[in-house]
């Protein structure tokens, strides 16, 4: 859960990061930035801020902002009825992204979230900078992280059904609860 | 057709416009900008510059640059075997875009390309500025234009099969011929 105050503060911070990265967004879009704590109630450690630019029955375009040292928990996009699952391309706009997916263990620059090491099983590391991008087939486990400066990135994908994403950490709840 | 020299000059100009608009692209991407004259051999009047950021079997993301007073000819994305046709969302990044699609005739700010008036049949005008976007269902006829300052815009879509696009102007050839 998140307090309304913390949600609004995180939303403002993410909006500034996105605009500073050179992405022109409307005020209405900035006000709609989703602050996601994955039900873990420690947003600064495990969480993400999401601006959905486009969502149709076929395509999703999102801007993701990660605060410094914030980690998005390991997850994957399973097949759903009539759809092989979400194919996603991540493209870095500003900052350095530490991205983990299947492959040889090359873990070096990132860090595992304390007490949750077992929930981060992918250890193949990509250090991604502005202009770098990676495309993930449906079902591929991944997680990612910002270090000192935070990250702004695009997520281009087939239709997103966030509520159906699956997480290694069984404590995750995809819908963030806001308390007043 | 285009001379190699004109192609390279247009590619450089488009790269500068895209970067000035705040979009971070790699040098390799800039060198791959496609300069399209639609086989009409008058690029500055009818043409477009296209940077493909992403192309999979499901998704395409492109950055389009229009030079001042350049017009992209009227076209539509037909259904193809096993696919209802390309769904496309255009989002303006910099400049003002004059966008034409089906609806009431509200033609006012743009201009029709001289001698080709009959090839521009959609007269419902949208004046789009940075942050504005429109989603087009497959098969919807559209054309668009820049005025004094030029335009940079994203095109987010389902898989693009440019060679299958259909044009009102029967003189259009989608593959641009380059002469040395």
């Amino acid at each position: 859960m998140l307090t309304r105050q913390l949600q609004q503060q995180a939303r403002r911070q993410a909006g500034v990061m996105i605009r500073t990265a050179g992405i022109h967004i409307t005020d209405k879009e900035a006000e709609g930035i989703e602050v996601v704590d994955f039900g873990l109630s420690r947003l600064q450690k495990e969480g993400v801020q999401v601006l959905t630019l486009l969502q149709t029955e076929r395509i999703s375009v999102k801007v993701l902002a990660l605060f410094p040292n914030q980690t998005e928990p390991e997850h994957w996009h399973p097949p759903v009825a009539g759809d092989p699952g979400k194919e996603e391309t991540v493209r870095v706009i500003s900052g350095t992204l530490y991205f983990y997916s299947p492959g040889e263990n090359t873990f070096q620059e990132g860090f595992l979230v304390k007490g949750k090491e077992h929930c981060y099983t992918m250890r193949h590391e990509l250090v991604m900078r502005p202009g770098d991008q990676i495309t993930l087939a449906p079902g591929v486990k991944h997680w990612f992280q910002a270090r000192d400066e935070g990250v702004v990135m695009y997520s281009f994908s087939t239709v997103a059904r966030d509520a159906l994403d699956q997480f290694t950490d069984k404590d995750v709840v995809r819908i963030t609860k806001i308390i007043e």
Side-chain angles (χ1 to χ4, degrees), chain A residues 135-164:
Chain A
T135 297
L136 298 169
V140 173
K141 285 188 186 178
H142 58 288
W143 60 281
F144 43 86
Q145 185 169 75
R147 297 299 304 267
D148 295 352
E149 54 190 341
V151 171
V152 176
M153 60 211 245
Y154 276 112
S155 166
F156 305 122
S157 75
T158 58
V159 58
R161 298 183 177 92
D162 296 342
L164 301 179

Side-chain angles (χ1 to χ4, degrees), chain A residues 54-150:
Chain A
L54 172 64
Q55 168 84 306
T56 76
E57 286 301 308
R58 298 174 74 189
I59 298 273
S60 294
V61 177
K62 300 178 179 210
V63 182
L64 309 185
L66 282 178
F67 297 146
N69 299 308
Q70 195 180 34
T71 303
E72 166 142 348
E74 183 173 286
H75 66 285
W76 63 99
H77 310 290
V80 294
D83 181 342
K86 185 171 100 162
E87 174 196 285
E88 181 175 26
T89 297
V90 161
R91 181 179 174 94
V92 177
I93 305 303
S94 72
T96 303
L97 180 69
Y98 300 86
F99 191 95
Y100 302 93
S101 56
E104 186 193 353
N105 183 336
T106 54
F107 193 80
Q108 187 172 2
E109 305 280 337
F111 63 91
L112 298 174
V113 177
K114 274 201 180 145
K116 288 285 187 170
E117 292 82 356
H118 59 293
C119 298
Y120 293 88
T121 65
M122 298 293 105
R123 304 288 172 88
H124 183 69
E125 182 176 86
L126 279 179
V127 178
M128 298 174 64
R129 298 196 166 83
D132 290 344
Q133 65 184 41
I134 181 174
T135 297
L136 298 169
V140 173
K141 285 188 186 178
H142 58 288
W143 60 281
F144 43 86
Q145 185 169 75
R147 297 299 304 267
D148 295 352
E149 54 190 341

Side-chain angles (χ1 to χ4, degrees), chain A residues 34 50 52 62 86 160-167 174:
Chain A
E34 188 190 1
V50 182
T52 298
K62 300 178 179 210
K86 185 171 100 162
R161 298 183 177 92
D162 296 342
L164 301 179
D165 287 349
Q166 294 185 8
F167 290 81
R174 185 57 184 82

